[in-house]
Amino acid sequence: MNNSQSKRKPYVRDVKKDWWLKNRFYSFYMLREFTCVFAAIYVVILLWGLLRLSQGQVAFEGWLNALHSPVAIVFHILALIAMLYHAKTWFALAPKATRLFKGEELFPEKPIVLSQYIALAVVFMVVLAIFII
Amino acid sequence: MAEMIEIEILRYRPEEDQEPWWQSYQVPYSKELSVLGALGYIKDNLDSTISYRWSCRMAICGSCGMMVNNIPKLSCKTFLRDYYPNKIRLEPLANFPIERDLIVDMSDFVAKLEKIKPYIEPKEPRTLEQGEYIQTPKELAQYKQFSMCINCGLCYAACPQYALNPKFTGPAALALLQRYNLDNRDNGNKDRMKVLNEDEGVWGCTFVGYCSEVCPKGVDPAAAIQLGKVASSKDYMIAMLKPEE
C-alpha cells in the first residue's frame, strides 16, 4: 500500500507527573521508594556520630545530646515506621527472587516470607540481649 | 424495562480526531455478560463505528486487552457484574500508541519479543531418526510458568518503567527470555544474556511488581525479571574472573 494514502496517525499519550497517584498500587510503590530518604538521612546521622566520636568525648556527647532533641526523636520514630514498611514490602517480594522447587512444584511463598520475619525476630532478640548484658 | 449499565469508551478516529474523547453508551445489564460481550452489543446495536480487537473470547488469545476502569484486563474475562451499577470506563491499553478507538499499536512489543530469540537453539541438533528431545517433568517445571504468556500486553500497560522509558525491554519479553534460558534443551543463553544485561534489560526494572498482579495467566514476569537480575550478576562476576575470549 502507498504510505502517503495511509490514514494512520497513532496517538501517543503523555505520561503525566502525577501518574503514581492514579493507582493505589503505584502510590504504595512510590511510598516504598520514598522510604530511602529516611534511610539516607539516618546513615548521615550515624556517620556524623562516628566523626564526632573521632573528635573526642566532648564532641561525641554533644552528638548524643542532639539526639535527645524533640526533632531527632520525631525523625527516628518516622524513620522506624518507614523502615518497618520497607522491610514488610521487601519481605513480601523476596519469594520472587528466590524461586525454590519442591520436586516439580513451586515452593509456596508464605513460608519464605514468614522465615524472614522469624530471622528478623531472632536478630532483634540477639541485639537486645547484647545490650541488656 | 431492562436494567442498564453505562459504558464509556475512549474514542479516537485518526482520520477525524486530533485527540481522544469520551463517548457514553447504555447497555442492557446481565450478570453473565462480559465487557467484550457488551462491546459486541454496542457494535451490533448502537454504534458500528467502534473498533476493538478480539478473537477467542476465552482468555487464551490475548487480543482483547484494554484498560477497564484504569486497570489492564482481558475484556473477555471481565464481567459487568463486578462493576454494576457503576459505570465502566474503557480505554485502549496504556503505554502503547492508540491506533484507533480501543486498538493499540503493539509493534514495539512484538519487536522486543523477537529480539530475545524466543525459540530453542538446541545444544546438539538431532535428526528426525534420533527422535525427540527428552525432558523430565522436573526440567519442564523450571520454565513452564513463564511459558504460559499469551502476549496480551497487559503487563506492559501496567509497567510504569515502560511508560517512562519505552526502550525498556519490558516484562513479557524478559519473562520469555527467562523461559528459554531455563529450558535445559536450549543453548542460546549466551546471545540472550546480552539483551538481559543491558540497561534496558533486567536492570531497567525497578520492581514495581504490578505486571505480575495484572497477568491473566499467572506468569509472574516480576519474578522472571528478578531471577534475570541474579543471572546477570552471576554473568558479570564470571566475566570478571574469566580471561577475555
mmCIF file with all atom_site columns, all heavy atoms in Angstrom, chain B residues 62-84:
data_model
loop_
_atom_site.group_PDB
_atom_site.id
_atom_site.type_symbol
_atom_site.label_atom_id
_atom_site.label_alt_id
_atom_site.label_comp_id
_atom_site.label_asym_id
_atom_site.label_entity_id
_atom_site.label_seq_id
_atom_site.pdbx_PDB_ins_code
_atom_site.Cartn_x
_atom_site.Cartn_y
_atom_site.Cartn_z
_atom_site.occupancy
_atom_site.B_iso_or_equiv
_atom_site.pdbx_formal_charge
_atom_site.auth_seq_id
_atom_site.auth_comp_id
_atom_site.auth_asym_id
_atom_site.auth_atom_id
_atom_site.pdbx_PDB_model_num
ATOM 1   N N   . GLY B 1 62 ? -5.351  -13.427 23.885 1.00 0.00 ? 62 GLY B N   1
ATOM 2   C CA  . GLY B 1 62 ? -4.675  -12.201 24.307 1.00 0.00 ? 62 GLY B CA  1
ATOM 3   C C   . GLY B 1 62 ? -4.973  -10.981 23.462 1.00 0.00 ? 62 GLY B C   1
ATOM 4   O O   . GLY B 1 62 ? -4.289  -9.974  23.562 1.00 0.00 ? 62 GLY B O   1
ATOM 5   N N   . SER B 1 63 ? -6.002  -11.029 22.614 1.00 0.00 ? 63 SER B N   1
ATOM 6   C CA  . SER B 1 63 ? -6.274  -9.895  21.714 1.00 0.00 ? 63 SER B CA  1
ATOM 7   C C   . SER B 1 63 ? -7.051  -8.766  22.367 1.00 0.00 ? 63 SER B C   1
ATOM 8   O O   . SER B 1 63 ? -6.931  -7.628  21.954 1.00 0.00 ? 63 SER B O   1
ATOM 9   C CB  . SER B 1 63 ? -7.108  -10.351 20.513 1.00 0.00 ? 63 SER B CB  1
ATOM 10  O OG  . SER B 1 63 ? -6.654  -11.547 20.012 1.00 0.00 ? 63 SER B OG  1
ATOM 11  N N   . CYS B 1 64 ? -7.898  -9.095  23.344 1.00 0.00 ? 64 CYS B N   1
ATOM 12  C CA  . CYS B 1 64 ? -8.903  -8.122  23.780 1.00 0.00 ? 64 CYS B CA  1
ATOM 13  C C   . CYS B 1 64 ? -8.475  -7.338  25.020 1.00 0.00 ? 64 CYS B C   1
ATOM 14  O O   . CYS B 1 64 ? -9.320  -6.832  25.746 1.00 0.00 ? 64 CYS B O   1
ATOM 15  C CB  . CYS B 1 64 ? -10.244 -8.808  24.025 1.00 0.00 ? 64 CYS B CB  1
ATOM 16  S SG  . CYS B 1 64 ? -10.211 -9.934  25.416 1.00 0.00 ? 64 CYS B SG  1
ATOM 17  N N   . GLY B 1 65 ? -7.166  -7.214  25.236 1.00 0.00 ? 65 GLY B N   1
ATOM 18  C CA  . GLY B 1 65 ? -6.683  -6.446  26.385 1.00 0.00 ? 65 GLY B CA  1
ATOM 19  C C   . GLY B 1 65 ? -7.039  -4.979  26.250 1.00 0.00 ? 65 GLY B C   1
ATOM 20  O O   . GLY B 1 65 ? -6.929  -4.406  25.166 1.00 0.00 ? 65 GLY B O   1
ATOM 21  N N   . MET B 1 66 ? -7.486  -4.390  27.345 1.00 0.00 ? 66 MET B N   1
ATOM 22  C CA  . MET B 1 66 ? -7.800  -2.952  27.364 1.00 0.00 ? 66 MET B CA  1
ATOM 23  C C   . MET B 1 66 ? -7.819  -2.475  28.817 1.00 0.00 ? 66 MET B C   1
ATOM 24  O O   . MET B 1 66 ? -7.772  -3.300  29.743 1.00 0.00 ? 66 MET B O   1
ATOM 25  C CB  . MET B 1 66 ? -9.125  -2.661  26.665 1.00 0.00 ? 66 MET B CB  1
ATOM 26  C CG  . MET B 1 66 ? -10.311 -3.360  27.235 1.00 0.00 ? 66 MET B CG  1
ATOM 27  S SD  . MET B 1 66 ? -11.809 -3.105  26.245 1.00 0.00 ? 66 MET B SD  1
ATOM 28  C CE  . MET B 1 66 ? -11.460 -4.023  24.753 1.00 0.00 ? 66 MET B CE  1
ATOM 29  N N   . MET B 1 67 ? -7.872  -1.159  28.987 1.00 0.00 ? 67 MET B N   1
ATOM 30  C CA  . MET B 1 67 ? -7.946  -0.624  30.343 1.00 0.00 ? 67 MET B CA  1
ATOM 31  C C   . MET B 1 67 ? -9.420  -0.588  30.759 1.00 0.00 ? 67 MET B C   1
ATOM 32  O O   . MET B 1 67 ? -10.239 0.053   30.093 1.00 0.00 ? 67 MET B O   1
ATOM 33  C CB  . MET B 1 67 ? -7.381  0.791   30.409 1.00 0.00 ? 67 MET B CB  1
ATOM 34  C CG  . MET B 1 67 ? -5.960  0.933   29.892 1.00 0.00 ? 67 MET B CG  1
ATOM 35  S SD  . MET B 1 67 ? -4.730  -0.057  30.745 1.00 0.00 ? 67 MET B SD  1
ATOM 36  C CE  . MET B 1 67 ? -4.549  0.860   32.258 1.00 0.00 ? 67 MET B CE  1
ATOM 37  N N   . VAL B 1 68 ? -9.745  -1.300  31.815 1.00 0.00 ? 68 VAL B N   1
ATOM 38  C CA  . VAL B 1 68 ? -11.106 -1.284  32.349 1.00 0.00 ? 68 VAL B CA  1
ATOM 39  C C   . VAL B 1 68 ? -11.041 -0.556  33.685 1.00 0.00 ? 68 VAL B C   1
ATOM 40  O O   . VAL B 1 68 ? -10.385 -1.037  34.611 1.00 0.00 ? 68 VAL B O   1
ATOM 41  C CB  . VAL B 1 68 ? -11.654 -2.718  32.534 1.00 0.00 ? 68 VAL B CB  1
ATOM 42  C CG1 . VAL B 1 68 ? -13.093 -2.683  33.033 1.00 0.00 ? 68 VAL B CG1 1
ATOM 43  C CG2 . VAL B 1 68 ? -11.553 -3.506  31.243 1.00 0.00 ? 68 VAL B CG2 1
ATOM 44  N N   . ASN B 1 69 ? -11.660 0.609   33.730 1.00 0.00 ? 69 ASN B N   1
ATOM 45  C CA  . ASN B 1 69 ? -11.554 1.480   34.913 1.00 0.00 ? 69 ASN B CA  1
ATOM 46  C C   . ASN B 1 69 ? -10.085 1.644   35.343 1.00 0.00 ? 69 ASN B C   1
ATOM 47  O O   . ASN B 1 69 ? -9.745  1.462   36.509 1.00 0.00 ? 69 ASN B O   1
ATOM 48  C CB  . ASN B 1 69 ? -12.404 0.961   36.071 1.00 0.00 ? 69 ASN B CB  1
ATOM 49  C CG  . ASN B 1 69 ? -13.878 1.241   35.846 1.00 0.00 ? 69 ASN B CG  1
ATOM 50  O OD1 . ASN B 1 69 ? -14.276 1.743   34.788 1.00 0.00 ? 69 ASN B OD1 1
ATOM 51  N ND2 . ASN B 1 69 ? -14.695 0.914   36.824 1.00 0.00 ? 69 ASN B ND2 1
ATOM 52  N N   . ASN B 1 70 ? -9.261  1.910   34.344 1.00 0.00 ? 70 ASN B N   1
ATOM 53  C CA  . ASN B 1 70 ? -7.842  2.228   34.571 1.00 0.00 ? 70 ASN B CA  1
ATOM 54  C C   . ASN B 1 70 ? -6.972  1.037   34.979 1.00 0.00 ? 70 ASN B C   1
ATOM 55  O O   . ASN B 1 70 ? -5.851  1.227   35.440 1.00 0.00 ? 70 ASN B O   1
ATOM 56  C CB  . ASN B 1 70 ? -7.711  3.348   35.618 1.00 0.00 ? 70 ASN B CB  1
ATOM 57  C CG  . ASN B 1 70 ? -6.562  4.269   35.290 1.00 0.00 ? 70 ASN B CG  1
ATOM 58  O OD1 . ASN B 1 70 ? -6.108  4.327   34.146 1.00 0.00 ? 70 ASN B OD1 1
ATOM 59  N ND2 . ASN B 1 70 ? -6.064  4.968   36.288 1.00 0.00 ? 70 ASN B ND2 1
ATOM 60  N N   . ILE B 1 71 ? -7.502  -0.182  34.841 1.00 0.00 ? 71 ILE B N   1
ATOM 61  C CA  . ILE B 1 71 ? -6.704  -1.372  35.168 1.00 0.00 ? 71 ILE B CA  1
ATOM 62  C C   . ILE B 1 71 ? -6.623  -2.251  33.918 1.00 0.00 ? 71 ILE B C   1
ATOM 63  O O   . ILE B 1 71 ? -7.653  -2.515  33.297 1.00 0.00 ? 71 ILE B O   1
ATOM 64  C CB  . ILE B 1 71 ? -7.333  -2.154  36.342 1.00 0.00 ? 71 ILE B CB  1
ATOM 65  C CG1 . ILE B 1 71 ? -7.259  -1.299  37.609 1.00 0.00 ? 71 ILE B CG1 1
ATOM 66  C CG2 . ILE B 1 71 ? -6.631  -3.490  36.568 1.00 0.00 ? 71 ILE B CG2 1
ATOM 67  C CD1 . ILE B 1 71 ? -7.980  -1.864  38.797 1.00 0.00 ? 71 ILE B CD1 1
ATOM 68  N N   . PRO B 1 72 ? -5.416  -2.695  33.542 1.00 0.00 ? 72 PRO B N   1
ATOM 69  C CA  . PRO B 1 72 ? -5.319  -3.543  32.340 1.00 0.00 ? 72 PRO B CA  1
ATOM 70  C C   . PRO B 1 72 ? -5.992  -4.892  32.562 1.00 0.00 ? 72 PRO B C   1
ATOM 71  O O   . PRO B 1 72 ? -5.671  -5.584  33.522 1.00 0.00 ? 72 PRO B O   1
ATOM 72  C CB  . PRO B 1 72 ? -3.808  -3.724  32.130 1.00 0.00 ? 72 PRO B CB  1
ATOM 73  C CG  . PRO B 1 72 ? -3.126  -2.862  33.131 1.00 0.00 ? 72 PRO B CG  1
ATOM 74  C CD  . PRO B 1 72 ? -4.104  -2.497  34.186 1.00 0.00 ? 72 PRO B CD  1
ATOM 75  N N   . LYS B 1 73 ? -6.919  -5.236  31.675 1.00 0.00 ? 73 LYS B N   1
ATOM 76  C CA  . LYS B 1 73 ? -7.648  -6.502  31.814 1.00 0.00 ? 73 LYS B CA  1
ATOM 77  C C   . LYS B 1 73 ? -7.954  -7.084  30.441 1.00 0.00 ? 73 LYS B C   1
ATOM 78  O O   . LYS B 1 73 ? -7.994  -6.344  29.454 1.00 0.00 ? 73 LYS B O   1
ATOM 79  C CB  . LYS B 1 73 ? -8.977  -6.270  32.538 1.00 0.00 ? 73 LYS B CB  1
ATOM 80  C CG  . LYS B 1 73 ? -8.812  -6.059  34.032 1.00 0.00 ? 73 LYS B CG  1
ATOM 81  C CD  . LYS B 1 73 ? -10.170 -5.856  34.692 1.00 0.00 ? 73 LYS B CD  1
ATOM 82  C CE  . LYS B 1 73 ? -10.025 -5.557  36.162 1.00 0.00 ? 73 LYS B CE  1
ATOM 83  N NZ  . LYS B 1 73 ? -9.957  -6.717  37.012 1.00 0.00 ? 73 LYS B NZ  1
ATOM 84  N N   . LEU B 1 74 ? -8.200  -8.403  30.407 1.00 0.00 ? 74 LEU B N   1
ATOM 85  C CA  . LEU B 1 74 ? -8.745  -9.006  29.197 1.00 0.00 ? 74 LEU B CA  1
ATOM 86  C C   . LEU B 1 74 ? -10.248 -8.781  29.261 1.00 0.00 ? 74 LEU B C   1
ATOM 87  O O   . LEU B 1 74 ? -10.900 -9.195  30.224 1.00 0.00 ? 74 LEU B O   1
ATOM 88  C CB  . LEU B 1 74 ? -8.447  -10.508 29.162 1.00 0.00 ? 74 LEU B CB  1
ATOM 89  C CG  . LEU B 1 74 ? -7.002  -10.946 28.967 1.00 0.00 ? 74 LEU B CG  1
ATOM 90  C CD1 . LEU B 1 74 ? -6.915  -12.458 28.955 1.00 0.00 ? 74 LEU B CD1 1
ATOM 91  C CD2 . LEU B 1 74 ? -6.416  -10.368 27.686 1.00 0.00 ? 74 LEU B CD2 1
ATOM 92  N N   . SER B 1 75 ? -10.810 -8.138  28.246 1.00 0.00 ? 75 SER B N   1
ATOM 93  C CA  . SER B 1 75 ? -12.233 -7.777  28.340 1.00 0.00 ? 75 SER B CA  1
ATOM 94  C C   . SER B 1 75 ? -13.140 -9.006  28.283 1.00 0.00 ? 75 SER B C   1
ATOM 95  O O   . SER B 1 75 ? -14.265 -8.975  28.761 1.00 0.00 ? 75 SER B O   1
ATOM 96  C CB  . SER B 1 75 ? -12.602 -6.765  27.258 1.00 0.00 ? 75 SER B CB  1
ATOM 97  O OG  . SER B 1 75 ? -12.384 -7.292  25.988 1.00 0.00 ? 75 SER B OG  1
ATOM 98  N N   . CYS B 1 76 ? -12.642 -10.120 27.717 1.00 0.00 ? 76 CYS B N   1
ATOM 99  C CA  . CYS B 1 76 ? -13.466 -11.339 27.667 1.00 0.00 ? 76 CYS B CA  1
ATOM 100 C C   . CYS B 1 76 ? -13.556 -12.005 29.040 1.00 0.00 ? 76 CYS B C   1
ATOM 101 O O   . CYS B 1 76 ? -14.435 -12.820 29.291 1.00 0.00 ? 76 CYS B O   1
ATOM 102 C CB  . CYS B 1 76 ? -12.903 -12.319 26.653 1.00 0.00 ? 76 CYS B CB  1
ATOM 103 S SG  . CYS B 1 76 ? -11.294 -12.988 27.096 1.00 0.00 ? 76 CYS B SG  1
ATOM 104 N N   . LYS B 1 77 ? -12.622 -11.654 29.912 1.00 0.00 ? 77 LYS B N   1
ATOM 105 C CA  . LYS B 1 77 ? -12.524 -12.297 31.225 1.00 0.00 ? 77 LYS B CA  1
ATOM 106 C C   . LYS B 1 77 ? -13.039 -11.366 32.318 1.00 0.00 ? 77 LYS B C   1
ATOM 107 O O   . LYS B 1 77 ? -12.893 -11.650 33.503 1.00 0.00 ? 77 LYS B O   1
ATOM 108 C CB  . LYS B 1 77 ? -11.048 -12.633 31.471 1.00 0.00 ? 77 LYS B CB  1
ATOM 109 C CG  . LYS B 1 77 ? -10.784 -13.825 32.330 1.00 0.00 ? 77 LYS B CG  1
ATOM 110 C CD  . LYS B 1 77 ? -9.300  -13.957 32.560 1.00 0.00 ? 77 LYS B CD  1
ATOM 111 C CE  . LYS B 1 77 ? -9.051  -14.918 33.704 1.00 0.00 ? 77 LYS B CE  1
ATOM 112 N NZ  . LYS B 1 77 ? -7.716  -14.812 34.246 1.00 0.00 ? 77 LYS B NZ  1
ATOM 113 N N   . THR B 1 78 ? -13.590 -10.211 31.897 1.00 0.00 ? 78 THR B N   1
ATOM 114 C CA  . THR B 1 78 ? -14.040 -9.196  32.848 1.00 0.00 ? 78 THR B CA  1
ATOM 115 C C   . THR B 1 78 ? -15.553 -9.055  32.696 1.00 0.00 ? 78 THR B C   1
ATOM 116 O O   . THR B 1 78 ? -16.040 -8.903  31.572 1.00 0.00 ? 78 THR B O   1
ATOM 117 C CB  . THR B 1 78 ? -13.348 -7.851  32.536 1.00 0.00 ? 78 THR B CB  1
ATOM 118 O OG1 . THR B 1 78 ? -11.949 -8.083  32.458 1.00 0.00 ? 78 THR B OG1 1
ATOM 119 C CG2 . THR B 1 78 ? -13.634 -6.811  33.596 1.00 0.00 ? 78 THR B CG2 1
ATOM 120 N N   . PHE B 1 79 ? -16.267 -9.106  33.810 1.00 0.00 ? 79 PHE B N   1
ATOM 121 C CA  . PHE B 1 79 ? -17.725 -9.168  33.715 1.00 0.00 ? 79 PHE B CA  1
ATOM 122 C C   . PHE B 1 79 ? -18.403 -7.918  34.275 1.00 0.00 ? 79 PHE B C   1
ATOM 123 O O   . PHE B 1 79 ? -17.913 -7.302  35.227 1.00 0.00 ? 79 PHE B O   1
ATOM 124 C CB  . PHE B 1 79 ? -18.236 -10.440 34.404 1.00 0.00 ? 79 PHE B CB  1
ATOM 125 C CG  . PHE B 1 79 ? -17.873 -11.672 33.624 1.00 0.00 ? 79 PHE B CG  1
ATOM 126 C CD1 . PHE B 1 79 ? -16.636 -12.277 33.794 1.00 0.00 ? 79 PHE B CD1 1
ATOM 127 C CD2 . PHE B 1 79 ? -18.736 -12.177 32.664 1.00 0.00 ? 79 PHE B CD2 1
ATOM 128 C CE1 . PHE B 1 79 ? -16.276 -13.380 33.036 1.00 0.00 ? 79 PHE B CE1 1
ATOM 129 C CE2 . PHE B 1 79 ? -18.384 -13.281 31.901 1.00 0.00 ? 79 PHE B CE2 1
ATOM 130 C CZ  . PHE B 1 79 ? -17.151 -13.888 32.087 1.00 0.00 ? 79 PHE B CZ  1
ATOM 131 N N   . LEU B 1 80 ? -19.541 -7.573  33.661 1.00 0.00 ? 80 LEU B N   1
ATOM 132 C CA  . LEU B 1 80 ? -20.283 -6.374  34.060 1.00 0.00 ? 80 LEU B CA  1
ATOM 133 C C   . LEU B 1 80 ? -20.707 -6.454  35.523 1.00 0.00 ? 80 LEU B C   1
ATOM 134 O O   . LEU B 1 80 ? -20.788 -5.449  36.213 1.00 0.00 ? 80 LEU B O   1
ATOM 135 C CB  . LEU B 1 80 ? -21.531 -6.196  33.184 1.00 0.00 ? 80 LEU B CB  1
ATOM 136 C CG  . LEU B 1 80 ? -21.340 -6.048  31.672 1.00 0.00 ? 80 LEU B CG  1
ATOM 137 C CD1 . LEU B 1 80 ? -22.659 -5.715  31.004 1.00 0.00 ? 80 LEU B CD1 1
ATOM 138 C CD2 . LEU B 1 80 ? -20.310 -4.978  31.343 1.00 0.00 ? 80 LEU B CD2 1
ATOM 139 N N   . ARG B 1 81 ? -20.968 -7.682  35.998 1.00 0.00 ? 81 ARG B N   1
ATOM 140 C CA  . ARG B 1 81 ? -21.464 -7.868  37.364 1.00 0.00 ? 81 ARG B CA  1
ATOM 141 C C   . ARG B 1 81 ? -20.490 -7.343  38.423 1.00 0.00 ? 81 ARG B C   1
ATOM 142 O O   . ARG B 1 81 ? -20.883 -7.027  39.524 1.00 0.00 ? 81 ARG B O   1
ATOM 143 C CB  . ARG B 1 81 ? -21.774 -9.343  37.639 1.00 0.00 ? 81 ARG B CB  1
ATOM 144 C CG  . ARG B 1 81 ? -20.591 -10.275 37.489 1.00 0.00 ? 81 ARG B CG  1
ATOM 145 C CD  . ARG B 1 81 ? -20.952 -11.700 37.857 1.00 0.00 ? 81 ARG B CD  1
ATOM 146 N NE  . ARG B 1 81 ? -19.851 -12.620 37.581 1.00 0.00 ? 81 ARG B NE  1
ATOM 147 C CZ  . ARG B 1 81 ? -19.753 -13.368 36.503 1.00 0.00 ? 81 ARG B CZ  1
ATOM 148 N NH1 . ARG B 1 81 ? -20.695 -13.323 35.569 1.00 0.00 ? 81 ARG B NH1 1
ATOM 149 N NH2 . ARG B 1 81 ? -18.728 -14.176 36.328 1.00 0.00 ? 81 ARG B NH2 1
ATOM 150 N N   . ASP B 1 82 ? -19.210 -7.264  38.054 1.00 0.00 ? 82 ASP B N   1
ATOM 151 C CA  . ASP B 1 82 ? -18.226 -6.780  39.019 1.00 0.00 ? 82 ASP B CA  1
ATOM 152 C C   . ASP B 1 82 ? -18.195 -5.256  39.107 1.00 0.00 ? 82 ASP B C   1
ATOM 153 O O   . ASP B 1 82 ? -17.458 -4.709  39.930 1.00 0.00 ? 82 ASP B O   1
ATOM 154 C CB  . ASP B 1 82 ? -16.829 -7.312  38.655 1.00 0.00 ? 82 ASP B CB  1
ATOM 155 C CG  . ASP B 1 82 ? -16.754 -8.823  38.790 1.00 0.00 ? 82 ASP B CG  1
ATOM 156 O OD1 . ASP B 1 82 ? -17.410 -9.356  39.704 1.00 0.00 ? 82 ASP B OD1 1
ATOM 157 O OD2 . ASP B 1 82 ? -16.083 -9.464  37.966 1.00 0.00 ? 82 ASP B OD2 1
ATOM 158 N N   . TYR B 1 83 ? -18.987 -4.581  38.276 1.00 0.00 ? 83 TYR B N   1
ATOM 159 C CA  . TYR B 1 83 ? -18.996 -3.115  38.264 1.00 0.00 ? 83 TYR B CA  1
ATOM 160 C C   . TYR B 1 83 ? -20.391 -2.538  38.508 1.00 0.00 ? 83 TYR B C   1
ATOM 161 O O   . TYR B 1 83 ? -20.522 -1.446  39.024 1.00 0.00 ? 83 TYR B O   1
ATOM 162 C CB  . TYR B 1 83 ? -18.455 -2.592  36.921 1.00 0.00 ? 83 TYR B CB  1
ATOM 163 C CG  . TYR B 1 83 ? -17.045 -3.030  36.662 1.00 0.00 ? 83 TYR B CG  1
ATOM 164 C CD1 . TYR B 1 83 ? -16.769 -4.237  36.028 1.00 0.00 ? 83 TYR B CD1 1
ATOM 165 C CD2 . TYR B 1 83 ? -15.975 -2.263  37.097 1.00 0.00 ? 83 TYR B CD2 1
ATOM 166 C CE1 . TYR B 1 83 ? -15.467 -4.649  35.815 1.00 0.00 ? 83 TYR B CE1 1
ATOM 167 C CE2 . TYR B 1 83 ? -14.659 -2.666  36.891 1.00 0.00 ? 83 TYR B CE2 1
ATOM 168 C CZ  . TYR B 1 83 ? -14.421 -3.871  36.240 1.00 0.00 ? 83 TYR B CZ  1
ATOM 169 O OH  . TYR B 1 83 ? -13.125 -4.277  36.048 1.00 0.00 ? 83 TYR B OH  1
ATOM 170 N N   . TYR B 1 84 ? -21.415 -3.273  38.083 1.00 0.00 ? 84 TYR B N   1
ATOM 171 C CA  . TYR B 1 84 ? -22.789 -2.797  38.175 1.00 0.00 ? 84 TYR B CA  1
ATOM 172 C C   . TYR B 1 84 ? -23.133 -2.406  39.611 1.00 0.00 ? 84 TYR B C   1
ATOM 173 O O   . TYR B 1 84 ? -22.735 -3.128  40.527 1.00 0.00 ? 84 TYR B O   1
ATOM 174 C CB  . TYR B 1 84 ? -23.735 -3.898  37.675 1.00 0.00 ? 84 TYR B CB  1
ATOM 175 C CG  . TYR B 1 84 ? -25.172 -3.491  37.619 1.00 0.00 ? 84 TYR B CG  1
ATOM 176 C CD1 . TYR B 1 84 ? -25.657 -2.728  36.561 1.00 0.00 ? 84 TYR B CD1 1
ATOM 177 C CD2 . TYR B 1 84 ? -26.038 -3.843  38.654 1.00 0.00 ? 84 TYR B CD2 1
ATOM 178 C CE1 . TYR B 1 84 ? -26.982 -2.332  36.526 1.00 0.00 ? 84 TYR B CE1 1
ATOM 179 C CE2 . TYR B 1 84 ? -27.366 -3.450  38.626 1.00 0.00 ? 84 TYR B CE2 1
ATOM 180 C CZ  . TYR B 1 84 ? -27.820 -2.699  37.559 1.00 0.00 ? 84 TYR B CZ  1
ATOM 181 O OH  . TYR B 1 84 ? -29.129 -2.305  37.529 1.00 0.00 ? 84 TYR B OH  1
#
